[in-house]
Amino acid sequence: MTDTNTSGRRETRSARNVVLVTGATGRIGRLVVEELLASGATVRALTRRPGQAALPARVDVAAGDFTAPDSLDRALEGAVTVFLVWTAGLATAPAVIERLAGQSTPVHRRIVYLSAPFRTPHPFFQQPNPMRDLHAEVERILALSALEVTVLRPGMFASNALHWWGPQIQTGDVVRWPYGGAETAPVDERDVAAVAARTLLDARFTGGDFVLTGPESLSQAAQVQAIGRAIGRSLQFEELAPDEFRGETAGIWPAGIADMLLGAWQATLGRPAYVTSSIQEILGSPPRTFSRWAADHVEAFGPQAGRR
């Protein structure tokens, strides 16, 4: 399944044009910066704390904050494409987007917006979610502007496994988690970043709306088993009751996140995950499997990971 037909497109770009990456120190933003540099692009990174950015020397690091729209002028100067990761509340969104649309550039400015698959008619993505409302409002404001916009909607990130299951795997062979049968299609952040870079550099993707997923539907239990195979250990998945999960995450996770995930996992029981071919069509190569992701992140699962 795909969202926009993009087969046969070739990359076009001008090295003289600046690509501005917002959210450049985040887990996707850093990878986008790397992809753009590898493509020969001129990259500028927006960050609130330039002194702590730790980005490659070739990157022009500019200070700026979405909560202070006036602070963005230096970063926007000459930027013909912008990778937009919204990192603030909605209060200043209209002013920021007005500034994006208002500054003159050699060509019409294009935006690639990192959103979420909340428009996807699959129960996993239709649960109440504060981020869903934020993305919907930012998209609404972008649609009212004069900007040319491409929307990327990654699904569940493969790296969630590090945060969710990593601590348990580092200390033992049992992962206690709810809804082991719930299926998702984990997408590798490296593939998301590669798609972002390609759509930033190729104007023919302008106006596209792409849901990005991994290539296969896997239950959470199967994902844990895939990690076990990668690290050479026999991991067991132990079903955790929803109330136990709420108790174990209380005070650790932000309020409401546990209930949001529990609702999403429960809603998808008994049906496969939503899978698209967008990454294949945009990049010309298939997305990485979850097993490949796990094999590439063996060391992240702790000192026992390499034990055979």
Side-chain angles (χ1 to χ4, degrees):
M1 183 179 296
T2 183
D3 303 279
T4 302
N5 184 8
T6 60
S7 57
R9 286 170 167 162
R10 293 175 299 170
E11 184 176 344
T12 59
R13 66 177 182 270
S14 169
R16 295 170 295 183
N17 295 330
V18 174
V19 182
L20 175 63
V21 179
T22 72
T25 59
R27 62 175 171 175
I28 298 297
R30 284 189 183 277
L31 294 172
V32 172
V33 167
E34 292 175 8
E35 289 282 344
L36 290 169
L37 290 175
S39 296
T42 301
V43 182
R44 181 176 298 144
L46 179 72
T47 177
R48 290 189 295 268
R49 293 176 289 275
Q52 301 175 26
L55 290 165
R58 286 189 291 154
V59 177
D60 176 16
V61 181
D65 192 329
F66 286 160
T67 64
D70 291 352
S71 71
L72 304 177
D73 290 350
R74 145 81 168 98
L76 288 171
E77 184 178 352
V80 297
T81 53
V82 178
F83 181 59
L84 181 59
V85 181
W86 194 256
T87 57
L90 287 170
T92 58
V96 169
I97 291 171
E98 182 180 4
R99 223 163 192 88
L100 290 176
Q103 276 216 353
S104 61
T105 57
V107 296
H108 201 60
R109 179 172 285 147
R110 296 189 298 110
I111 306 296
V112 174
Y113 179 52
L114 187 69
S115 186
F118 64 88
R119 300 184 189 278
T120 303
H122 187 282
F124 185 81
F125 300 116
Q126 293 302 314
Q127 304 310 302
N129 181 347
M131 292 302 296
R132 170 195 178 104
D133 297 336
L134 182 145
H135 285 307
E137 181 61 13
V138 172
E139 287 185 32
R140 185 191 71 81
I141 300 169
L142 284 168
L144 294 174
S145 75
L147 292 161
E148 298 178 342
V149 181
T150 302
V151 181
L152 304 183
R153 305 182 187 278
M156 187 69 73
F157 289 126
S159 66
N160 286 336
L162 292 173
H163 310 296
W164 292 352
W165 307 323
Q168 296 185 63
I169 293 171
Q170 290 164 9
T171 58
D173 292 333
V174 177
V175 172
R176 301 176 68 249
W177 203 254
Y179 295 115
E183 296 190 23
T184 62
V187 62
D188 194 310
E189 284 90 339
R190 294 171 294 183
D191 290 326
V192 175
V195 166
R198 180 65 58 85
T199 55
L200 284 162
L201 297 173
D202 191 337
R204 287 170 291 184
F205 290 101
T206 300
D209 192 312
F210 307 101
V211 177
L212 309 178
T213 73
E216 56 192 341
S217 177
L218 292 172
S219 70
Q220 297 196 98
Q223 292 171 42
V224 169
Q225 292 164 4
I227 294 169
R229 288 192 295 272
I231 64 177
R233 289 161 53 196
S234 179
L235 299 179
Q236 304 299 313
F237 190 100
E238 183 177 301
E239 193 72 27
L240 188 67
D243 283 343
E244 291 180 281
F245 181 71
R246 290 187 185 94
E248 292 190 5
T249 57
I252 302 173
W253 287 19
I257 296 297
D259 283 332
M260 178 197 74
L261 286 171
L262 287 168
W265 291 327
Q266 183 181 43
T268 198
L269 286 175
R271 63 186 299 166
Y274 187 78
V275 177
T276 77
S277 58
S278 295
I279 292 174
Q280 168 80 48
E281 293 183 356
I282 293 170
L283 299 180
S285 57
R288 296 171 175 86
T289 64
F290 185 78
S291 292
R292 164 74 182 278
W293 175 88
D296 290 343
H297 292 80
V298 166
E299 296 303 321
F301 288 97
Q304 299 184 71
R307 190 179 66 194
R308 297 285 172 177

